[in-house]
Amino acid sequence: MNIGVALAIGLLAGAHTATWGMYKDCPYEGFTYQKYLRSIFLSALLGVGWQLVGGFDLSLASSRIVLFGLTYVTERGLVELYKGFLREEDQSKYFIPMQFHVMGRVIHSRATRWSVAAVWTAAVIFIAWMLRTWQQAGPHLSPWLVVLTIGSIGGWLSAFGGAFKDAPIEGFETFKFFRSPTIALMWSAFIAHLSTDYLYISLCGLGFTVATIETYKTFFFPNKPRGKFAGMPV
């Protein structure tokens, strides 16, 4: 039963991501089933994968929420890694390049992009390993202390990554920079009531942060094109 529920949670997470993504992009790029279904199929696989790794009791609502957050953040991380460093695509149609760039200058060297991707992936894995090692080796800490110390780690990674990509073109926005860490901290405070695993708290906090921010940007500002299509007709 758990695998079936995990598959359903993965499909739900993927459908949410695919829907806001297509809602914002298809007026400018057109609708394609391949692109729409990409996140849904990937999230379904990731949901099952996380269930096999974590062995969650999915008869509990708390476990289903945690699995949703883990699936969401992993799918977003893998897709952004692919789009930013691995995919070959003409960037001239974008106001903000989606491919890895430095101060707006797209890096066309595949070797350079893949090297940066490897370093970035290693850094994320190292942080995850440190969180797991800290929990296994150290004394039990208050969930609130955990939230304050690690709950917003993912939010800070997102904030610095977003600023590196967007700020050279859009300009630095203080609210935008601190938005992800703040929301991640709040979501982590909620997840800390559902799980005592430091890694899960951090990852889920970021997963629900992405879901919240993208839903907000997509449906609360329908007359404003997303950043990469800024300046284009609504």
Side-chain angles (χ1 to χ4, degrees):
M1 183 190 81
N2 279 335
I3 295 299
V5 175
L7 178 63
I9 291 172
L11 290 171
L12 178 63
H16 184 271
T17 301
T19 301
W20 62 251
M22 192 57 67
Y23 180 89
K24 290 194 293 186
D25 291 352
C26 70
Y28 309 99
E29 295 184 317
F31 178 88
T32 63
Y33 284 105
Q34 179 182 1
K35 196 170 184 179
Y36 182 74
L37 295 175
R38 178 184 61 196
S39 289
I40 297 177
F41 286 146
L42 179 57
S43 294
L45 294 175
L46 291 170
V48 173
W50 269 114
Q51 174 59 28
L52 293 175
V53 171
F56 302 102
D57 180 3
L58 295 181
S59 64
L60 302 175
S62 57
S63 296
R64 296 195 292 271
I65 292 172
V66 169
L67 182 58
F68 181 94
L70 292 173
T71 301
Y72 207 102
V73 71
T74 309
E75 186 275 339
R76 283 293 81 199
L78 291 176
V79 170
E80 291 303 322
L81 183 71
Y82 165 72
K83 292 193 298 185
F85 298 99
L86 307 180
R87 183 174 66 178
E88 301 286 346
E89 185 187 44
D90 179 18
Q91 299 294 299
S92 62
K93 63 181 178 180
Y94 298 127
F95 177 72
I96 298 177
M98 292 295 99
Q99 196 167 296
F100 176 62
H101 65 89
V102 177
M103 303 299 291
R105 184 174 64 86
V106 176
I107 305 301
H108 296 286
S109 169
R110 183 178 298 177
T112 301
R113 294 202 317 271
W114 286 31
S115 297
V116 174
V119 172
W120 179 253
T121 302
V124 172
I125 293 174
F126 176 74
I127 293 173
W129 176 79
M130 286 293 294
L131 291 176
R132 185 52 55 86
T133 302
W134 183 28
Q135 181 163 25
Q136 292 175 346
H140 179 70
L141 300 176
S142 163
W144 292 109
L145 182 58
V146 171
V147 168
L148 291 174
T149 54
I150 73 168
S152 61
I153 287 178
W156 285 113
L157 290 174
S158 176
F160 279 102
F164 180 84
K165 182 169 69 75
D166 298 346
I169 300 171
E170 288 186 322
F172 180 82
E173 298 180 31
T174 303
F175 169 77
K176 187 176 181 180
F177 181 76
F178 287 101
R179 180 178 60 192
S180 290
T182 302
I183 296 177
L185 191 63
M186 292 189 292
W187 272 114
S188 296
F190 171 69
I191 299 299
H193 288 83
L194 310 180
S195 175
T196 59
D197 190 294
Y198 298 172
L199 179 60
Y200 292 171
I201 291 172
S202 180
L203 289 176
C204 284
L206 180 57
F208 280 101
T209 295
V210 174
T212 301
I213 291 176
E214 292 298 342
T215 301
Y216 166 74
K217 291 192 301 183
T218 301
F219 299 108
F220 283 75
F221 297 95
N223 294 322
K224 181 180 179 181
R226 63 187 307 184
K228 66 180 182 181
F229 295 118
M232 295 187 180
V234 176

